[in-house]
Amino acid sequence: MNLKPGVGKTTSAVWLAHALHESGLSPLLVDGDPAASALRWSELADGFPFPVIALPVGDVHRRVNDFLGNRQAVVLDAPQLEDHPRIARSIMRYAGEWIVPVTPAPIELDRMAPILGEMADVQSLRSEPARTAVLLNRTNRPDATRTGPDADAREALTERGFEVLETQIARLDLYAQSFGNPVQAKGSAYMDFAEELIKRQDEV
């Protein structure tokens, strides 16, 4: 989730769902964006190896379990909060972990401040607080490093109260040009992303 469009929410959701599938889990991908980009991607790719459903509605949190079956994970692609707040907040009410993809650019980091308020508002509606984390996306180096050109972004986000995942997603054509194509997550940073999320879940 994020306030803004164009930060890589759908790409992250689709690749994460594939990584979970390739890790042996059985995911459900929920497309909550009225633009239905994840659903369209699955159509163009002749289907994904897991179900994709469109739920661009304001009561997603009440409906997802109707489609869950024996699925072991749910990945929800939320629309931008600024344009579709009711849907995005409903997704946040359901999801146990909120991932905020952020490009480590000054203008994007500056836009992060209002997200904390949105998070606090939705947390108050939940019986248990959701875990939250920032995913540095489209980074300038493929390896996660605290000393590289994006280290200042990690530091700035941490100082503002965000937990930043160890995994970073590099700025690669492999991801940027993947819309509409079949996805193989093995060997990609998204496998590391999935493994980190699974570990976080196990710790809970």
Side-chain angles (χ1 to χ4, degrees):
M1 46 80 65
N2 201 309
L3 285 174
K4 303 287 183 180
V7 296
K9 295 189 300 297
T10 297
T11 300
S12 298
V14 168
W15 276 81
L16 173 60
H18 278 84
L20 292 170
H21 171 77
E22 292 177 30
S23 297
L25 296 176
S26 180
L28 170 68
L29 177 57
V30 177
D31 189 345
D33 194 332
S37 297
L39 185 63
R40 179 59 177 157
W41 187 338
S42 71
E43 292 173 350
L44 293 172
D46 292 326
F48 290 160
F50 46 81
V52 183
I53 62 169
L55 277 178
V57 293
D59 60 346
V60 181
H61 61 287
R62 295 192 184 98
R63 299 197 190 194
V64 173
N65 286 345
D66 293 340
F67 302 91
L68 192 56
N70 61 354
R71 298 285 151 184
Q72 298 165 292
V74 183
V75 179
L76 300 107
D77 183 17
Q80 59 267 24
L81 269 158
E82 65 179 5
D83 294 328
H84 305 286
R86 190 161 175 257
I87 300 172
R89 289 170 182 156
S90 179
I91 286 174
M92 292 167 68
R93 289 183 68 174
Y94 181 87
E97 178 113 34
W98 302 342
I99 303 299
V100 186
V102 176
T103 302
I107 189 170
E108 297 301 330
L109 297 177
D110 188 59
R111 292 171 173 170
M112 288 292 288
I115 292 179
L116 287 173
E118 293 284 352
M119 287 180 169
D121 287 346
V122 180
Q123 292 281 30
S124 68
L125 302 175
R126 296 174 54 97
S127 57
E128 295 181 5
R131 299 176 302 281
T132 66
V134 169
L135 174 67
L136 286 177
N137 191 32
R138 301 173 187 156
T139 61
N140 296 307
R141 292 181 62 169
D143 53 333
T145 173
R146 295 184 182 279
T147 59
D150 297 320
D152 53 344
R154 179 182 292 274
E155 183 179 349
L157 288 164
T158 302
E159 289 176 352
R160 295 179 191 182
F162 293 99
E163 182 176 358
V164 183
L165 295 173
E166 290 295 327
T167 305
Q168 294 182 186
I169 308 298
R171 186 186 301 273
L172 297 174
D173 285 344
L174 172 66
Y175 309 133
Q177 305 299 325
S178 59
F179 177 81
N181 296 312
V183 171
Q184 184 174 0
K186 183 179 180 180
S188 75
Y190 283 99
M191 286 299 292
D192 298 332
F193 178 30
E195 289 171 4
E196 185 170 357
L197 292 184
I198 291 169
K199 182 180 179 182
R200 287 165 63 87
Q201 176 66 32
D202 289 344
E203 290 172 351
V204 173

